[in-house]
Amino acid sequence: MWFPAPKVGIIPPETLLTLVGNATAGFPTPLSHTRATNKSEELVKDRRKIRFQLERDEHGYAPTNFEGLRGAMRADGNFMIDNIPFFVRGLSDGDVVSVRREAGELIFAELVEPSTSSTFRVIPTDLAKSAEIRADLKEPGCGTEYDQVVGLISVDVPGSTPIESLDYILEKKRDGAVDFEEGVLRHEL
């Protein structure tokens, strides 16, 4: 499967909408994700699913109305996000958020304390290369999650990891091997 590289450096909404729309037919929303984490075990104590409302742009992107992210409850009642967002913008792994409770669900209220991490999304033009791309991103210290339904890789660049580690992705984009978009940039350029 081939995805045309956009001129502005983002995943074309129609690409994800087509993939997610076809692949998730009959599946419930919200989307949720899993991954192995390198975070300390203290965060595993009270992890819960937090529901994030997604706003659709003029092209109908994001491809679902909600995304579910895990959060680890802190002593102050807020939650530290414990996975990498696929569609939520402006948040990263490690951010601290407040929630409200509705009908037994935790609903995102606001960002309380941003982490120093940046988040990017990558979609390989050859989905068979996803594992290789994830391994290459892990080497400089980036965390990744993979959505098998659409072949989308979410990338966490910790504040301690130089943003230059994404030069690899820029090279892959120039070669037509990936498309990407920014979820949130917290590194100084």
Side-chain angles (χ1 to χ4, degrees):
M1 184 176 291
W2 186 81
F3 302 94
K7 294 180 180 158
V8 293
I10 62 166
I11 301 168
E14 59 276 6
T15 299
L16 281 177
L17 286 173
T18 300
L19 286 171
V20 174
N22 292 338
T24 60
F27 288 90
T29 58
L31 292 178
S32 60
H33 320 286
T34 59
R35 75 170 169 131
T37 180
N38 294 331
K39 294 204 175 337
S40 66
E41 290 303 313
E42 68 194 46
L43 293 178
V44 180
K45 289 182 205 168
D46 193 8
R47 289 171 41 192
R48 302 203 186 146
K49 185 73 68 168
I50 302 169
R51 188 172 167 162
F52 290 79
Q53 175 79 39
L54 300 175
E55 293 185 27
R56 294 183 184 221
D57 66 15
E58 65 275 4
H59 305 288
Y61 180 82
T64 185
N65 293 326
F66 300 97
E67 180 172 7
L69 297 176
R70 288 187 318 262
M73 185 177 231
R74 297 179 359 151
D76 62 5
N78 292 318
F79 288 81
M80 179 178 285
I81 299 300
D82 189 28
N83 61 300
I84 309 167
F86 280 93
F87 300 108
V88 173
R89 294 184 176 275
L91 287 175
S92 284
D93 189 31
D95 286 357
V96 177
V97 300
S98 65
V99 300
R100 65 183 188 279
R101 287 163 173 78
E102 288 182 16
E105 288 189 292
L106 298 178
I107 309 295
F108 168 74
E110 68 180 340
L111 176 64
V112 173
E113 182 183 327
S115 67
T116 57
S117 293
S118 295
T119 300
F120 297 88
R121 273 83 86 154
V122 175
I123 192 162
T125 55
D126 178 358
L127 297 180
K129 300 281 186 185
S130 297
E132 175 186 327
I133 291 169
R134 291 181 73 194
D136 289 344
L137 287 166
K138 184 177 180 180
E139 188 175 317
C142 297
T144 66
E145 291 190 45
Y146 183 65
D147 186 322
Q148 296 178 19
V149 174
V150 296
L152 184 65
I153 302 168
S154 59
V155 180
D156 173 60
V157 184
S160 59
T161 300
I163 194 68
E164 290 77 21
S165 63
L166 287 182
D167 286 350
Y168 166 80
I169 293 298
L170 294 174
E171 289 173 28
K172 291 281 189 191
K173 178 170 175 43
R174 279 192 294 274
D175 295 342
V178 302
D179 281 329
F180 73 95
E181 73 175 359
E182 176 185 307
V184 64
L185 176 65
R186 298 212 174 108
H187 286 73
E188 288 192 29
L189 297 179

